[in-house]
Amino acid sequence: IRFRSFADDSDAQGQSVLRAIKTVMGENRAISLAGEGEAPQVGDLIHFGPVASESIPVIVASVERGNDNTSIVHMLPAADEMHERTAAEVPPTWSGRVGAEVGGSNAEPPVPIVKSVRSGISGTGSATGLRITLKPGAGSAVIVSTFEVRHRLSGSGTWLTAVTVSASSGVVNLPGYASGDAVEWEPRSVSKDSVPSLWGSPRITTIGADDPTAPNALNSSLIVATGGLGKADIFFTVAPTEENITHVQFYSNTSGTLDTGTDAILAPIDVAAGGTYTRVHGDPSIVTLVTNGNFSAQASPPTLGSNWTITSGHADHSPGTGGSISWSVAMAAGEEICLSVMINSISGGALTPRSTGTLTETWTTAYTTPGLKLQSHVAGSANGTLGLLAATATVCQIDDLAAYKKTAACLSQGDRYYWLQPFNGVTPGPIAGPFLVTIR
């Protein structure tokens, strides 16, 4: 028999007890337990039957702690055949796709919808631009891959090669036209299976129809550009008849080849017909540091060395003894000093710029030919004198000498070109120039 024995009234689980009984032939109303051990109590539930055993492969699922150092073992059938089948299974190659591939379609996509049409400066930023934006037509049974737009000048009998763009973009730019051209165009859709739709209804767009009237070019005879010390001055007048000019843009570079995309300088200047205007490019505060550099006075400054004289608005050196002509110019180490001088004539020897005082510093280039000479030098020390040293045999005549300390706003010395372009709102006019100046 099997029954459950409880230690006391607080023991809710108890312990399973198995006892063998003495068997007697026939039917009996009582049983006798064999051996020693616990006996069931009155009212206990017992299981009565023959003793048997069974061997079943199991897997221990968990072990639960019981009373009095006992454990309750929870087991599940081992199901070895399941593991054998799992090990023998060869899984197919993984794919994120579900279902079979769908074949192509011969269905035509609908004609595309025109979202917008823009042209000219006001619409595209270019006077010759024509930009069309498309989207797929409603209720398409197929995927639209691209859009095509065929085009031609209105009245022309031949369509030009269609422009193709992806449907994801939908923006079509038609090239090859000028402002004022009337352009006829038609759009269509093309499916991913290369099936085109019908061509859409023809449309005609005049490029730049919404742009203001283009202004005339500025009169070049009314434009004056002059070079100065680290700067250029630009003077111009708008003719009284030019009512279509609202503002003027300036351009400048040192190459002489204009690129309006990179060469714009200064802010555009608002103008009116008949007005006169001035702009400074560079540092307007620069003045020469030398006194009497034009030699209008024969008295000092400058300080004249051997064989130097001032006569009739110029300085001359005669051969026989080398000497310098110099001015007091305070310099600090690291300052860049710019020099310009007109050499009217020179022969026999060289004329060398230098700064003296704390340390004699000979500048890079000595002069042996006539003309306007430009040079800069970074001071290595705090010298106080700037001058030109003539060699013993040098015969020269100089004029219009100037020097200044270069600032961040100064233009570099040398030739520079300027252009002026009138605008009427966003519409540009012809460009005047180039005007060549020399920055001293």
Side-chain angles (χ1 to χ4, degrees):
I1 62 173
R2 183 182 292 277
F3 58 92
R4 190 168 290 277
S5 174
F6 298 92
D8 51 39
D9 292 341
S10 62
D11 185 1
Q13 180 174 331
Q15 182 178 3
S16 178
V17 178
L18 180 66
R19 295 291 305 275
I21 65 173
K22 296 178 181 179
T23 57
V24 179
M25 293 293 293
E27 293 182 2
N28 297 282
R29 298 180 59 189
I31 59 174
S32 296
L33 300 179
E36 297 181 355
E38 295 186 52
Q41 303 297 315
V42 176
D44 283 350
L45 178 66
I46 67 170
H47 297 273
F48 178 86
V51 175
S53 65
E54 186 175 3
S55 179
I56 303 174
V58 296
I59 296 174
V60 176
S62 63
V63 178
E64 180 182 347
R65 179 177 294 177
N67 295 328
D68 300 326
N69 294 322
T70 61
S71 297
I72 302 172
V73 180
H74 298 271
M75 295 171 284
L76 296 173
D80 292 335
E81 68 277 6
M82 177 182 69
H83 299 292
E84 293 173 358
R85 291 182 181 182
T86 300
E89 176 73 16
V90 178
T93 303
W94 185 89
S95 172
R97 297 184 178 183
V98 177
E101 293 186 1
V102 178
S105 172
N106 293 324
E108 290 184 7
V111 173
I113 295 172
V114 179
K115 293 177 61 179
S116 65
V117 181
R118 302 283 185 267
S119 74
I121 289 288
S122 58
T124 67
S126 169
T128 61
L130 175 52
R131 181 178 302 147
I132 302 160
T133 305
L134 305 172
K135 69 176 183 179
S140 177
V142 293
I143 297 175
V144 175
S145 175
T146 58
F147 295 125
E148 295 179 352
V149 176
R150 63 180 181 181
H151 54 100
R152 62 187 176 188
L153 281 172
S154 180
S156 173
T158 304
W159 290 104
L160 300 179
T161 302
V163 176
T164 302
V165 299
S166 67
S168 60
S169 167
V171 178
V172 182
N173 290 292
L174 300 184
Y177 297 103
S179 178
D181 284 349
V183 181
E184 182 180 3
W185 54 275
E186 298 176 354
R188 74 176 180 181
S189 303
V190 179
S191 74
K192 69 177 185 65
D193 298 305
S194 301
V195 179
S197 70
L198 299 175
W199 289 105
S201 301
R203 301 183 181 218
I204 297 177
T205 301
T206 300
I207 296 179
D210 296 329
D211 291 347
T213 302
N216 296 321
L218 293 170
N219 188 336
S220 293
S221 65
L222 301 178
I223 301 173
V224 177
T226 60
L229 301 179
K231 67 169 184 174
D233 296 289
I234 307 163
F235 310 87
F236 70 97
T237 298
V238 179
T241 56
E242 298 299 338
E243 299 287 347
N244 290 331
I245 300 179
T246 58
H247 61 276
V248 172
Q249 176 65 59
F250 302 90
Y251 304 96
S252 180
N253 63 34
T254 58
S255 68
T257 301
L258 177 63
D259 182 346
T260 57
T262 59
D263 293 338
I265 60 167
L266 307 175
I269 178 173
D270 294 335
V271 300
T276 298
Y277 306 90
T278 302
R279 280 293 181 271
V280 178
H281 183 212
D283 191 339
S285 68
I286 295 298
V287 294
T288 182
L289 299 176
V290 303
T291 302
N292 198 27
N294 59 0
F295 308 109
S296 59
Q298 293 187 353
S300 179
T303 299
L304 301 178
S306 299
N307 290 39
W308 279 98
T309 59
I310 296 176
T311 306
S312 303
H314 50 78
D316 301 271
H317 181 265
S318 57
T321 303
S324 64
I325 182 172
S326 60
W327 288 261
S328 293
V329 176
M331 292 170 264
E335 290 181 331
E336 184 174 359
I337 309 301
C338 296
L339 170 71
S340 68
V341 60
M342 175 60 73
I343 300 180
N344 296 331
S345 63
I346 187 170
S347 63
L351 191 62
T352 305
R354 65 178 187 168
S355 48
T356 59
T358 304
L359 178 69
T360 298
E361 298 179 25
T362 301
W363 290 26
T364 302
T365 304
Y367 307 130
T368 58
T369 58
L372 177 64
K373 305 301 179 181
L374 306 172
Q375 189 172 174
S376 67
H377 174 77
V378 178
S381 59
N383 285 325
T385 302
L386 173 65
L388 297 171
L389 175 65
T392 300
T394 300
V395 180
C396 67
Q397 182 184 99
I398 66 172
D399 192 5
D400 200 14
L401 185 145
Y404 60 93
K405 297 177 181 179
K406 188 175 182 180
T407 67
C410 284
L411 300 179
S412 296
Q413 291 175 296
D415 290 342
R416 180 170 282 274
Y417 300 86
Y418 287 89
W419 295 262
L420 285 76
Q421 184 175 28
F423 281 79
N424 183 11
V426 296
T427 304
I431 298 174
F435 300 92
L436 175 62
V437 303
T438 300
I439 310 301
R440 296 181 59 190

